[in-house]
């Protein structure tokens, strides 16, 4: 699986570095290493969600109780959680740090990811949520730290988009994209 | 059985608990009995009260957390019952007032009015210590036992679909939020 283990570790360590003690998550391919790191870390409380919106409620409770958390999900999970984000996190001024895998953007081969990919940034904009891409490995730690700082200072959700460049190691990408032997409507891979 | 009588019966027992209620009649009735800094009324985000309670319970395992929920809200987050069951915080008590209707928005019937059984759903979700009560003595006993137990319990109380005459509360939701957070941190 070409999900970047090294960059997943960078993201995980950055979360530890900003004091995250509770991670709520719903798995998707790009998040497998991050979730396994949380699972294997006795100091981390990992909450596996049935649906992403629950994570907004759990993170709200964790914040009110004085600890820091992060919500990991796919962009479609963010779309699923919009009412929770608005009616809980934003209404109640909660510093909700969201790490969102940026599916359906440039390079996406799975047709089912592409509609969500087109609207992710515009939905975040419409919600007034500050969002930044995490792409360069060397910027991960400082960007996560600055995102948490802003979330805590503004008491507002902040979104970090985990991009394909960061999460997916795909040296053969260009060659595959020009491989015309695969009909466009048959493309697809791991969900 | 009326919800307000149930709340009155356990009002003393929850004095030191982190209490999270849903919006509407439940919030107004608990508030009318006397607000405390450790009471939080989730005035929107239907369904998430139990998730919020789970977050508090995990973050503060030494504090008793009480979620005061309703049938309409639980039905909006049935998956949350499986998450509660999965982590089963022993310091969390889940009280569900089931009046078989969305009372605060016109009284339209919910699925519990046609047979959906929230206690049965909770048990099947993995919360074995779930029970349904239909009278005040039964509620008081079950709720007190749940509050004293070192395990996750859910009590479904079948109550009349009656509520307060007014939903006004002289407490802004942000005032409640900051006061509650301060109470949890001291």
């Amino acid at each position: 699986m070409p999900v970047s283990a090294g960059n997943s570790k960078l993201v995980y360590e950055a979360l530890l570095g900003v004091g995250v003690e509770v991670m709520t998550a719903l798995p998707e391919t790009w998040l497998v290493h991050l979730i396994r790191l949380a699972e294997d870390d006795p100091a981390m409380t990992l909450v596996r969600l049935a649906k992403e919106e629950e994570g907004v409620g759990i993170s709200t409770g964790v914040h009110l109780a004085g600890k820091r958390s992060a919500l990991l999900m796919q962009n479609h999970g963010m779309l699923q959680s919009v009412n929770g984000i608005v009616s809980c996190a934003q209404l109640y001024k909660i510093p909700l740090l969201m790490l969102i895998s940026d599916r359906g953007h440039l390079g996406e081969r799975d047709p089912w990811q592409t509609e969500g990919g087109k609207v992710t940034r515009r939905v975040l904009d419409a919600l007034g949520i500050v969002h930044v891409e995490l792409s360069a490995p060397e910027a991960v730690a400082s960007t996560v730290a600055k995102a948490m700082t802003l979330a805590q200072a503004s008491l507002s959700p902040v979104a970090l988009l985990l991009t394909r460049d960061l999460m997916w190691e795909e040296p053969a990408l260009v060659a595959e994209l020009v491989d015309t032997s695969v009909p466009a409507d048959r493309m697809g891979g791991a969900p | 059985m009326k919800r307000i009588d149930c709340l009155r019966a356990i009002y003393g027992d929850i004095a030191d608990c982190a209490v999270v209620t849903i919006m509407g009649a439940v919030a107004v009735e608990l508030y009318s009995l006397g607000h405390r800094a450790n009471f939080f009324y989730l005035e929107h985000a239907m369904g998430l009260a139990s998730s919020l309670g789970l977050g508090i319970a995990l973050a503060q395992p030494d504090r008793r957390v009480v979620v005061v929920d309703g049938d309409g809200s639980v039905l909006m987050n049935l998956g949350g019952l499986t998450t509660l069951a999965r982590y089963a915080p022993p310091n969390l008590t889940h009280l569900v007032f089931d009046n078989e209707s969305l009372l605060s928005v016109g009284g339209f019937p919910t699925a519990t009015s046609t047979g959906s059984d929230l206690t049965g759903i909770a048990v099947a979700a993995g919360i074995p210590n779930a029970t349904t009560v239909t009278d005040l003595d039964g509620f008081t006993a079950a709720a007190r036992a749940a509050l004293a137990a070192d395990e996750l319990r859910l009590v479904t109380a079948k109550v009349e679909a009656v509520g307060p005459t007014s939903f006004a509360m002289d407490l802004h939701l942000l005032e409640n939020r900051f006061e509650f957070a301060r109470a949890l941190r001291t």
Side-chain angles (χ1 to χ4, degrees), chain A residues 14-16 18-25 44-47 49 54-72 89 94-99 144 147-149 151-152 156-158 160, chain B residues 51 54-56 58-59 185:
Chain A
L15 291 174
L16 291 181
V18 296
V20 169
E21 294 177 75
V22 178
M23 184 183 282
T24 65
M44 179 65 74
T45 299
L46 171 67
V47 184
L49 307 167
E54 292 173 56
V56 178
I58 293 168
S59 281
T60 298
V62 170
H63 171 72
L64 295 176
K67 290 192 173 177
R68 291 183 173 190
S69 69
L71 168 55
L72 270 70
I94 302 300
L96 176 69
L97 184 66
M98 299 184 284
L99 279 80
V144 169
M148 180 60 97
T149 300
Q152 297 288 335
S156 299
V158 172
L160 293 171
Chain B
S51 305
L54 175 59
I56 297 170
L58 292 173
R185 295 169 192 200

Short mmCIF file of all heavy atoms in Angstrom, two decimals, chain A residues 14-16 18-25 44-47 49 54-72 89 94-99 144 147-149 151-152 156-158 160, chain B residues 51 54-56 58-59 185:
data_model
loop_
_atom_site.label_atom_id
_atom_site.label_comp_id
_atom_site.label_asym_id
_atom_site.label_seq_id
_atom_site.Cartn_x
_atom_site.Cartn_y
_atom_site.Cartn_z
N ALA A 14 3.66 15.29 15.09
CA ALA A 14 3.26 16.70 15.19
C ALA A 14 2.05 16.85 16.10
O ALA A 14 1.96 17.80 16.89
CB ALA A 14 2.97 17.27 13.80
N LEU A 15 1.11 15.91 16.00
CA LEU A 15 -0.07 15.96 16.88
C LEU A 15 0.33 15.76 18.33
O LEU A 15 -0.16 16.46 19.23
CB LEU A 15 -1.10 14.90 16.45
CG LEU A 15 -1.77 15.16 15.10
CD1 LEU A 15 -2.65 13.96 14.70
CD2 LEU A 15 -2.62 16.43 15.14
N LEU A 16 1.23 14.82 18.57
CA LEU A 16 1.73 14.63 19.93
C LEU A 16 2.41 15.91 20.42
O LEU A 16 2.26 16.31 21.57
CB LEU A 16 2.75 13.48 19.98
CG LEU A 16 2.22 12.06 19.75
CD1 LEU A 16 3.38 11.06 19.87
CD2 LEU A 16 1.11 11.71 20.73
N VAL A 18 1.73 18.92 19.82
CA VAL A 18 0.82 20.01 20.22
C VAL A 18 -0.13 19.55 21.33
O VAL A 18 -1.13 20.21 21.61
CB VAL A 18 0.02 20.59 19.03
CG1 VAL A 18 0.97 21.24 18.04
CG2 VAL A 18 -0.83 19.52 18.35
N GLY A 19 0.19 18.43 21.94
CA GLY A 19 -0.55 18.04 23.14
C GLY A 19 -1.83 17.26 22.90
O GLY A 19 -2.67 17.17 23.79
N VAL A 20 -1.98 16.69 21.69
CA VAL A 20 -3.19 15.91 21.43
C VAL A 20 -3.13 14.60 22.23
O VAL A 20 -2.18 13.85 22.13
CB VAL A 20 -3.33 15.61 19.92
CG1 VAL A 20 -4.44 14.58 19.67
CG2 VAL A 20 -3.63 16.90 19.16
N GLU A 21 -4.16 14.38 23.04
CA GLU A 21 -4.23 13.16 23.85
C GLU A 21 -5.35 12.24 23.42
O GLU A 21 -5.38 11.07 23.80
CB GLU A 21 -4.44 13.52 25.33
CG GLU A 21 -3.27 14.26 25.96
CD GLU A 21 -3.59 14.63 27.40
OE1 GLU A 21 -3.57 13.74 28.26
OE2 GLU A 21 -3.89 15.82 27.65
N VAL A 22 -6.30 12.78 22.69
CA VAL A 22 -7.44 11.98 22.22
C VAL A 22 -7.56 12.16 20.71
O VAL A 22 -7.56 13.30 20.21
CB VAL A 22 -8.76 12.42 22.90
CG1 VAL A 22 -9.94 11.59 22.36
CG2 VAL A 22 -8.66 12.28 24.41
N MET A 23 -7.62 11.07 20.01
CA MET A 23 -7.79 11.13 18.56
C MET A 23 -9.07 10.38 18.21
O MET A 23 -9.25 9.23 18.58
CB MET A 23 -6.59 10.48 17.88
CG MET A 23 -6.60 10.58 16.38
SD MET A 23 -5.18 9.69 15.69
CE MET A 23 -3.88 10.88 15.99
N THR A 24 -9.98 11.06 17.54
CA THR A 24 -11.18 10.39 17.06
C THR A 24 -10.99 10.19 15.55
O THR A 24 -10.47 11.07 14.87
CB THR A 24 -12.46 11.19 17.34
OG1 THR A 24 -12.42 12.41 16.61
CG2 THR A 24 -12.58 11.52 18.83
N ALA A 25 -11.40 9.04 15.06
CA ALA A 25 -11.08 8.76 13.66
C ALA A 25 -12.06 7.78 13.04
O ALA A 25 -12.59 6.89 13.70
CB ALA A 25 -9.67 8.17 13.58
N MET A 44 -2.04 7.46 23.89
CA MET A 44 -3.08 8.09 23.07
C MET A 44 -4.41 7.37 23.28
O MET A 44 -4.47 6.15 23.26
CB MET A 44 -2.69 8.04 21.59
CG MET A 44 -3.71 8.63 20.62
SD MET A 44 -3.96 10.42 20.83
CE MET A 44 -2.43 11.04 20.11
N THR A 45 -5.46 8.15 23.48
CA THR A 45 -6.81 7.56 23.50
C THR A 45 -7.38 7.67 22.09
O THR A 45 -7.62 8.76 21.59
CB THR A 45 -7.72 8.32 24.49
OG1 THR A 45 -7.16 8.21 25.79
CG2 THR A 45 -9.13 7.73 24.49
N LEU A 46 -7.55 6.52 21.44
CA LEU A 46 -8.10 6.49 20.09
C LEU A 46 -9.57 6.10 20.17
O LEU A 46 -9.92 5.09 20.77
CB LEU A 46 -7.33 5.46 19.24
CG LEU A 46 -7.92 5.16 17.86
CD1 LEU A 46 -7.83 6.38 16.94
CD2 LEU A 46 -7.21 3.96 17.23
N VAL A 47 -10.42 6.92 19.59
CA VAL A 47 -11.85 6.60 19.55
C VAL A 47 -12.24 6.33 18.10
O VAL A 47 -12.19 7.22 17.25
CB VAL A 47 -12.71 7.74 20.12
CG1 VAL A 47 -14.18 7.32 20.14
CG2 VAL A 47 -12.26 8.11 21.53
N LEU A 49 -14.83 5.80 15.35
CA LEU A 49 -16.19 6.31 15.18
C LEU A 49 -17.01 5.43 14.27
O LEU A 49 -16.47 4.76 13.38
CB LEU A 49 -16.13 7.73 14.59
CG LEU A 49 -15.24 8.72 15.34
CD1 LEU A 49 -15.01 9.97 14.48
CD2 LEU A 49 -15.86 9.09 16.67
N GLU A 54 -19.91 12.10 15.03
CA GLU A 54 -19.71 11.79 16.44
C GLU A 54 -18.40 12.40 16.95
O GLU A 54 -18.31 12.81 18.11
CB GLU A 54 -19.56 10.28 16.64
CG GLU A 54 -20.75 9.43 16.41
CD GLU A 54 -20.32 7.97 16.51
OE1 GLU A 54 -19.77 7.57 17.53
OE2 GLU A 54 -20.51 7.25 15.52
N GLY A 55 -17.41 12.42 16.09
CA GLY A 55 -16.10 12.93 16.49
C GLY A 55 -16.15 14.39 16.88
O GLY A 55 -15.39 14.84 17.74
N VAL A 56 -17.06 15.14 16.24
CA VAL A 56 -17.21 16.55 16.61
C VAL A 56 -17.72 16.64 18.05
O VAL A 56 -17.22 17.43 18.86
CB VAL A 56 -18.19 17.26 15.65
CG1 VAL A 56 -18.38 18.71 16.05
CG2 VAL A 56 -17.70 17.16 14.20
N GLY A 57 -18.71 15.81 18.38
CA GLY A 57 -19.24 15.81 19.74
C GLY A 57 -18.21 15.36 20.76
O GLY A 57 -18.06 15.97 21.83
N ILE A 58 -17.47 14.32 20.42
CA ILE A 58 -16.47 13.80 21.35
C ILE A 58 -15.37 14.83 21.57
O ILE A 58 -14.97 15.11 22.71
CB ILE A 58 -15.89 12.46 20.83
CG1 ILE A 58 -16.99 11.39 20.84
CG2 ILE A 58 -14.70 12.02 21.66
CD1 ILE A 58 -16.64 10.12 20.08
N SER A 59 -14.90 15.44 20.49
CA SER A 59 -13.86 16.47 20.63
C SER A 59 -14.37 17.65 21.45
O SER A 59 -13.61 18.26 22.19
CB SER A 59 -13.40 16.96 19.25
OG SER A 59 -12.49 16.04 18.69
N THR A 60 -15.64 17.96 21.31
CA THR A 60 -16.22 19.05 22.11
C THR A 60 -16.15 18.69 23.60
O THR A 60 -15.72 19.51 24.43
CB THR A 60 -17.67 19.31 21.68
OG1 THR A 60 -17.67 19.73 20.31
CG2 THR A 60 -18.33 20.39 22.54
N GLY A 61 -16.54 17.48 23.92
CA GLY A 61 -16.47 17.04 25.31
C GLY A 61 -15.05 17.03 25.85
O GLY A 61 -14.79 17.47 26.97
N VAL A 62 -14.13 16.56 25.04
CA VAL A 62 -12.73 16.51 25.45
C VAL A 62 -12.21 17.92 25.71
O VAL A 62 -11.53 18.18 26.72
CB VAL A 62 -11.87 15.81 24.38
CG1 VAL A 62 -10.39 15.96 24.68
CG2 VAL A 62 -12.25 14.33 24.28
N HIS A 63 -12.57 18.85 24.84
CA HIS A 63 -12.12 20.23 25.04
C HIS A 63 -12.70 20.83 26.32
O HIS A 63 -11.99 21.46 27.11
CB HIS A 63 -12.49 21.11 23.85
CG HIS A 63 -12.24 22.57 24.12
ND1 HIS A 63 -10.97 23.09 24.18
CD2 HIS A 63 -13.08 23.58 24.43
CE1 HIS A 63 -11.05 24.38 24.50
NE2 HIS A 63 -12.32 24.70 24.66
N LEU A 64 -14.01 20.65 26.51
CA LEU A 64 -14.64 21.22 27.70
C LEU A 64 -14.01 20.63 28.97
O LEU A 64 -13.93 21.30 30.00
CB LEU A 64 -16.15 20.98 27.68
CG LEU A 64 -16.91 21.70 26.55
CD1 LEU A 64 -18.38 21.30 26.56
CD2 LEU A 64 -16.77 23.21 26.67
N ALA A 65 -13.55 19.39 28.86
CA ALA A 65 -12.92 18.73 30.00
C ALA A 65 -11.43 19.07 30.13
O ALA A 65 -10.74 18.53 30.99
CB ALA A 65 -13.11 17.22 29.90
N GLY A 66 -10.94 19.95 29.25
CA GLY A 66 -9.60 20.48 29.43
C GLY A 66 -8.48 19.76 28.72
O GLY A 66 -7.32 19.98 29.03
N LYS A 67 -8.82 18.89 27.76
CA LYS A 67 -7.75 18.21 27.02
C LYS A 67 -7.84 18.54 25.53
O LYS A 67 -8.82 19.12 25.08
CB LYS A 67 -7.84 16.70 27.25
CG LYS A 67 -7.47 16.30 28.67
CD LYS A 67 -7.29 14.80 28.80
CE LYS A 67 -6.75 14.46 30.19
NZ LYS A 67 -6.61 13.00 30.37
N ARG A 68 -6.80 18.13 24.82
CA ARG A 68 -6.76 18.43 23.38
C ARG A 68 -6.98 17.17 22.56
O ARG A 68 -6.52 16.10 22.91
CB ARG A 68 -5.39 19.04 23.02
CG ARG A 68 -5.22 20.43 23.61
CD ARG A 68 -3.92 21.06 23.19
NE ARG A 68 -3.87 22.45 23.65
CZ ARG A 68 -2.96 23.32 23.28
NH1 ARG A 68 -1.99 22.95 22.43
NH2 ARG A 68 -2.99 24.56 23.72
N SER A 69 -7.65 17.37 21.44
CA SER A 69 -7.97 16.22 20.58
C SER A 69 -7.80 16.61 19.13
O SER A 69 -7.62 17.79 18.79
CB SER A 69 -9.40 15.75 20.83
OG SER A 69 -10.31 16.71 20.34
N ALA A 70 -7.86 15.61 18.28
CA ALA A 70 -7.88 15.84 16.83
C ALA A 70 -8.87 14.86 16.22
O ALA A 70 -9.05 13.75 16.72
CB ALA A 70 -6.50 15.63 16.23
N LEU A 71 -9.53 15.31 15.16
CA LEU A 71 -10.50 14.48 14.44
C LEU A 71 -9.93 14.15 13.07
O LEU A 71 -9.63 15.04 12.28
CB LEU A 71 -11.82 15.24 14.33
CG LEU A 71 -12.91 14.72 13.39
CD1 LEU A 71 -13.28 13.28 13.69
CD2 LEU A 71 -14.16 15.61 13.48
N LEU A 72 -9.73 12.86 12.82
CA LEU A 72 -9.18 12.40 11.53
C LEU A 72 -10.28 11.80 10.69
O LEU A 72 -10.99 10.90 11.14
CB LEU A 72 -8.11 11.32 11.77
CG LEU A 72 -6.68 11.78 11.95
CD1 LEU A 72 -6.53 12.50 13.27
CD2 LEU A 72 -5.74 10.62 11.83
N ALA A 89 -19.54 22.62 17.17
CA ALA A 89 -18.20 23.19 17.30
C ALA A 89 -18.19 24.71 17.10
O ALA A 89 -17.57 25.44 17.89
CB ALA A 89 -17.26 22.52 16.31
N ILE A 94 -15.61 25.88 19.85
CA ILE A 94 -14.74 24.76 20.19
C ILE A 94 -13.54 24.73 19.23
O ILE A 94 -13.71 24.78 18.01
CB ILE A 94 -15.52 23.42 20.07
CG1 ILE A 94 -16.75 23.44 20.98
CG2 ILE A 94 -14.61 22.24 20.39
CD1 ILE A 94 -16.48 23.64 22.46
N PRO A 95 -12.33 24.64 19.77
CA PRO A 95 -11.12 24.59 18.92
C PRO A 95 -10.93 23.21 18.31
O PRO A 95 -10.06 22.45 18.73
CB PRO A 95 -10.00 24.95 19.90
CG PRO A 95 -10.49 24.49 21.22
CD PRO A 95 -11.99 24.67 21.20
N LEU A 96 -11.73 22.91 17.33
CA LEU A 96 -11.76 21.57 16.72
C LEU A 96 -10.69 21.47 15.64
O LEU A 96 -10.80 22.10 14.59
CB LEU A 96 -13.15 21.31 16.12
CG LEU A 96 -13.33 20.01 15.35
CD1 LEU A 96 -13.29 18.81 16.29
CD2 LEU A 96 -14.65 20.03 14.57
N LEU A 97 -9.66 20.68 15.91
CA LEU A 97 -8.62 20.47 14.90
C LEU A 97 -9.00 19.26 14.05
O LEU A 97 -9.12 18.15 14.55
CB LEU A 97 -7.26 20.23 15.57
CG LEU A 97 -6.08 20.10 14.60
CD1 LEU A 97 -5.82 21.41 13.86
CD2 LEU A 97 -4.82 19.65 15.34
N MET A 98 -9.21 19.51 12.76
CA MET A 98 -9.62 18.44 11.85
C MET A 98 -8.49 18.14 10.88
O MET A 98 -7.95 19.05 10.24
CB MET A 98 -10.87 18.87 11.05
CG MET A 98 -12.08 19.17 11.92
SD MET A 98 -13.56 19.57 10.93
CE MET A 98 -13.16 21.25 10.43
N LEU A 99 -8.14 16.87 10.77
CA LEU A 99 -7.19 16.44 9.75
C LEU A 99 -7.98 15.66 8.72
O LEU A 99 -8.56 14.62 9.01
CB LEU A 99 -6.07 15.59 10.36
CG LEU A 99 -4.96 16.42 11.02
CD1 LEU A 99 -5.39 16.88 12.40
CD2 LEU A 99 -3.66 15.65 11.07
N VAL A 144 1.13 22.13 11.74
CA VAL A 144 0.22 21.56 12.74
C VAL A 144 0.24 22.41 14.00
O VAL A 144 -0.81 22.71 14.59
CB VAL A 144 0.60 20.09 13.05
CG1 VAL A 144 -0.16 19.58 14.28
CG2 VAL A 144 0.32 19.19 11.84
N ALA A 147 -1.64 25.59 13.36
CA ALA A 147 -3.08 25.32 13.25
C ALA A 147 -3.69 25.15 14.64
O ALA A 147 -4.77 25.69 14.93
CB ALA A 147 -3.32 24.08 12.40
N MET A 148 -3.01 24.41 15.51
CA MET A 148 -3.53 24.22 16.86
C MET A 148 -3.54 25.54 17.62
O MET A 148 -4.49 25.85 18.35
CB MET A 148 -2.69 23.17 17.61
CG MET A 148 -3.18 22.90 19.04
SD MET A 148 -4.89 22.29 19.13
CE MET A 148 -4.60 20.51 19.25
N THR A 149 -2.51 26.33 17.43
CA THR A 149 -2.45 27.63 18.10
C THR A 149 -3.63 28.50 17.68
O THR A 149 -4.30 29.12 18.52
CB THR A 149 -1.12 28.35 17.75
OG1 THR A 149 -0.05 27.53 18.20
CG2 THR A 149 -1.04 29.71 18.43
N ALA A 151 -6.51 27.47 16.39
CA ALA A 151 -7.76 26.87 16.87
C ALA A 151 -8.00 27.27 18.33
O ALA A 151 -9.10 27.68 18.70
CB ALA A 151 -7.71 25.35 16.73
N GLN A 152 -6.96 27.18 19.14
CA GLN A 152 -7.10 27.49 20.57
C GLN A 152 -7.34 28.98 20.79
O GLN A 152 -8.11 29.36 21.68
CB GLN A 152 -5.84 27.05 21.33
CG GLN A 152 -5.58 25.54 21.30
CD GLN A 152 -6.55 24.73 22.15
OE1 GLN A 152 -7.12 25.24 23.11
NE2 GLN A 152 -6.73 23.47 21.79
N SER A 156 -12.15 28.07 17.48
CA SER A 156 -12.86 27.74 16.24
C SER A 156 -12.24 26.50 15.60
O SER A 156 -11.07 26.21 15.84
CB SER A 156 -12.74 28.90 15.24
OG SER A 156 -13.31 30.07 15.77
N PRO A 157 -12.99 25.82 14.77
CA PRO A 157 -12.41 24.71 14.01
C PRO A 157 -11.34 25.21 13.03
O PRO A 157 -11.46 26.30 12.48
CB PRO A 157 -13.60 24.14 13.24
CG PRO A 157 -14.81 24.60 13.98
CD PRO A 157 -14.45 25.95 14.53
N VAL A 158 -10.32 24.40 12.85
CA VAL A 158 -9.30 24.63 11.83
C VAL A 158 -9.10 23.31 11.10
O VAL A 158 -9.07 22.25 11.73
CB VAL A 158 -7.97 25.12 12.45
CG1 VAL A 158 -6.86 25.17 11.39
CG2 VAL A 158 -8.14 26.49 13.09
N LEU A 160 -6.87 20.92 8.46
CA LEU A 160 -5.63 20.64 7.75
C LEU A 160 -5.93 19.59 6.71
O LEU A 160 -6.43 18.50 7.03
CB LEU A 160 -4.56 20.13 8.72
CG LEU A 160 -4.07 21.16 9.73
CD1 LEU A 160 -3.18 20.50 10.79
CD2 LEU A 160 -3.31 22.29 9.03
N SER B 51 -22.26 11.75 22.44
CA SER B 51 -20.87 11.81 21.99
C SER B 51 -20.08 12.78 22.86
O SER B 51 -18.94 12.52 23.25
CB SER B 51 -20.79 12.24 20.52
OG SER B 51 -21.57 11.40 19.70
N LEU B 54 -19.36 11.19 26.07
CA LEU B 54 -18.27 10.22 25.92
C LEU B 54 -16.91 10.92 25.95
O LEU B 54 -15.97 10.44 26.60
CB LEU B 54 -18.44 9.44 24.61
CG LEU B 54 -17.32 8.47 24.22
CD1 LEU B 54 -17.12 7.40 25.28
CD2 LEU B 54 -17.61 7.82 22.87
N GLY B 55 -16.82 12.07 25.28
CA GLY B 55 -15.57 12.82 25.28
C GLY B 55 -15.17 13.25 26.68
O GLY B 55 -14.00 13.14 27.09
N ILE B 56 -16.14 13.74 27.45
CA ILE B 56 -15.85 14.16 28.83
C ILE B 56 -15.43 12.95 29.67
O ILE B 56 -14.45 12.99 30.43
CB ILE B 56 -17.07 14.84 29.46
CG1 ILE B 56 -17.42 16.13 28.71
CG2 ILE B 56 -16.81 15.16 30.94
CD1 ILE B 56 -18.77 16.73 29.13
N LEU B 58 -14.10 10.15 28.78
CA LEU B 58 -12.77 9.64 28.45
C LEU B 58 -11.68 10.58 28.95
O LEU B 58 -10.62 10.14 29.39
CB LEU B 58 -12.64 9.44 26.93
CG LEU B 58 -13.50 8.33 26.32
CD1 LEU B 58 -13.41 8.37 24.80
CD2 LEU B 58 -13.06 6.96 26.84
N ALA B 59 -11.95 11.88 28.88
CA ALA B 59 -10.94 12.86 29.27
C ALA B 59 -10.81 12.95 30.79
O ALA B 59 -9.74 13.27 31.31
CB ALA B 59 -11.28 14.23 28.69
N ARG B 185 -12.84 21.99 34.96
CA ARG B 185 -11.39 22.13 35.08
C ARG B 185 -10.95 22.49 36.49
O ARG B 185 -9.77 22.75 36.72
CB ARG B 185 -10.89 23.18 34.08
CG ARG B 185 -11.12 22.73 32.65
CD ARG B 185 -10.87 23.83 31.65
NE ARG B 185 -11.37 23.45 30.33
CZ ARG B 185 -10.99 23.99 29.19
NH1 ARG B 185 -10.09 24.94 29.20
NH2 ARG B 185 -11.49 23.59 28.06
#
